[in-house]
Amino acid sequence: MRGLLALMVVCVASHCVSCEEEIYSPMDKVLVLRVPQGPRNDSHVPLVCGEAYKDQDVVWREDGRSTKLVGNQVTVTVEEMLVGNFSCHLRRDGSYLNHTLVLVQLNPDNQTVLLEKSESSAPQHILCSAHNYNGSFSCSWIKTRGNAAVLMVKAERNSTAMACEVEADSSGVRCNERSCMSQEERHFINFSVYIYNNARLEKYSRAFFLREIVSPGRVTNLRVEGERFLWGEPEFWEKPGSFYQLQFEVKRVPHNASCQDPAIKEGAQIFDDKSFPISKKKPMKYVFCVRAQDKFTGAPWGLWSELAVGSNQSTERM
């Protein structure tokens, strides 16, 4: 499992630079300049090293490079997207004191370039899924820039924040909501991720109910007993099964074929029971395919599980 980085929920403060520009702070040590799209004049962003350093001889660096900026309070000029990480230091020995990352966000933020849209019937930048109703879910995305990183994520329902952890490569996040899993959902989960590359910041958002993204895990314990193909519920599916009911799609494909092949639909059937009748009158090699879906929500199907059946033996495939 890849390492995870914890993100904290933060407060956001903002003020106007002009009638068309705005500066806000989504988290500690970060300032975002929101500017209109299209040609514009240079912008000016005020920076403060810190109240504790107001009587110190302070110099500033931009992305590690020396600048002409001096003093506890300075103003930096932003030309287009040419801005970065400003750090303040003691002049006498170069000791680090503080820093502020300055980013630029277009307003409106509707010409996004840092994430790809999914190839699906309803393309989205953010894909979210859950294996059950315990309150945990995952979201992922595909970056168009290899060094793009996550600045922060926010997930909340009805103004109540959720705990989230971002994957180390900034390609996804896991969130958890502590709630009663049998409670009816009345409010959307509102999820946002802030992605930045160099100085450009983009915000991507999605709203959904947990029931819309629950995709059961692979079914378990595939086997053939007599003239029936049998299986069990996904390992982490909710109990009791009579309340969280599943339905199952079953099909049989040639021995050298894949269950994932969308072209193979012949014989596919939907069952409520975890059992499928078979005939052994004509022994042959084939593969049984089965996957699960929440019976009542229309949420996505889970992944296929496969059982290869030969004339004398059965072998579960992954």
Side-chain angles (χ1 to χ4, degrees):
M1 181 182 299
R2 290 175 289 185
L4 299 173
L5 300 176
L7 289 187
M8 299 176 61
V9 177
V10 297
C11 297
V12 176
S14 65
H15 69 275
C16 290
V17 178
S18 71
C19 59
E20 295 183 329
E21 297 180 354
E22 175 190 14
I23 295 175
Y24 71 97
S25 177
M27 60 191 302
D28 188 34
K29 301 183 186 299
V30 176
L31 287 179
V32 177
L33 173 65
R34 185 150 42 197
V35 298
Q37 297 190 27
R40 60 184 180 275
N41 297 325
D42 294 346
S43 303
H44 304 282
V45 178
L47 300 179
V48 178
C49 186
E51 181 67 22
Y53 313 120
K54 63 181 181 180
D55 297 324
Q56 301 290 331
D57 189 6
V58 174
V59 296
W60 291 77
R61 298 175 185 171
E62 180 181 357
D63 295 329
R65 302 184 301 272
S66 297
T67 71
K68 296 181 180 180
L69 300 172
V70 295
N72 183 54
Q73 300 184 34
V74 298
T75 299
V76 299
T77 300
V78 178
E79 302 176 7
E80 297 295 331
M81 293 284 181
L82 301 178
V83 73
N85 190 20
F86 292 85
S87 57
C88 51
H89 306 257
L90 288 178
R91 184 193 296 272
R92 66 174 182 268
D93 59 7
S95 298
Y96 165 83
L97 301 176
N98 203 351
H99 76 273
T100 301
L101 176 63
V102 181
L103 301 172
V104 177
Q105 182 181 21
L106 297 181
N107 182 28
D109 192 10
N110 58 5
Q111 293 186 8
T112 52
V113 299
L114 298 182
L115 297 185
E116 291 184 7
K117 278 193 174 182
S118 62
E119 295 181 0
S120 62
S121 57
Q124 300 186 68
H125 289 106
I126 302 172
L127 300 178
C128 298
S129 64
H131 286 317
N132 50 42
Y133 290 98
N134 69 1
S136 297
F137 63 91
S138 299
C139 294
S140 62
W141 44 82
I142 299 176
K143 299 182 294 182
T144 61
R145 309 286 195 275
N147 58 345
V150 173
L151 177 69
M152 59 179 286
V153 298
K154 295 175 66 176
E156 62 181 22
R157 191 202 295 268
N158 195 25
S159 300
T160 301
M162 304 178 188
C164 295
E165 293 179 306
V166 176
E167 296 187 15
D169 64 355
S170 293
S171 66
V173 63
R174 284 198 242 167
C175 299
N176 184 60
E177 178 185 29
R178 298 181 179 274
S179 63
C180 177
M181 59 188 177
S182 61
Q183 184 178 8
E184 182 181 354
E185 290 185 287
R186 293 184 174 87
H187 302 281
F188 284 110
I189 295 172
N190 293 296
F191 177 85
S192 296
V193 56
Y194 294 74
I195 302 280
Y196 72 99
N197 181 67
N198 296 324
R200 179 170 184 145
L201 176 70
E202 295 180 351
K203 176 185 177 182
Y204 297 83
S205 299
R206 181 178 174 184
F208 54 87
F209 288 112
L210 192 64
R211 63 176 178 264
E212 296 174 336
I213 65 168
V214 168
S215 176
R218 296 180 188 271
V219 302
T220 59
N221 195 23
L222 279 66
R223 63 200 185 276
V224 172
E225 294 182 2
E227 295 188 351
R228 303 200 72 81
F229 169 46
L230 307 172
W231 60 89
E233 291 182 346
E235 181 178 1
F236 299 108
W237 189 245
E238 306 295 351
K239 300 293 190 295
S242 57
F243 185 86
Y244 300 97
Q245 292 188 41
L246 292 170
Q247 62 182 10
F248 305 92
E249 182 179 17
V250 183
K251 65 181 180 179
R252 190 168 66 180
V253 303
H255 201 271
N256 60 350
S258 169
C259 294
Q260 282 75 25
D261 188 345
I264 304 178
K265 299 181 179 180
E266 183 177 356
Q269 299 182 54
I270 305 298
F271 291 86
D272 290 340
D273 296 329
K274 298 181 285 292
S275 174
F276 178 75
I278 60 176
S279 173
K280 290 192 173 182
K281 294 181 179 180
K282 296 181 179 180
M284 59 180 295
K285 291 184 178 182
Y286 50 81
V287 175
F288 277 120
C289 308
V290 58
R291 61 181 180 175
Q293 181 190 48
D294 188 303
K295 183 177 180 179
F296 300 110
T297 65
W301 284 95
L303 297 176
W304 289 104
S305 295
E306 307 177 2
L307 184 70
V309 179
S311 56
N312 297 314
Q313 61 180 358
S314 301
T315 305
E316 189 169 353
R317 302 194 321 190
M318 298 302 292

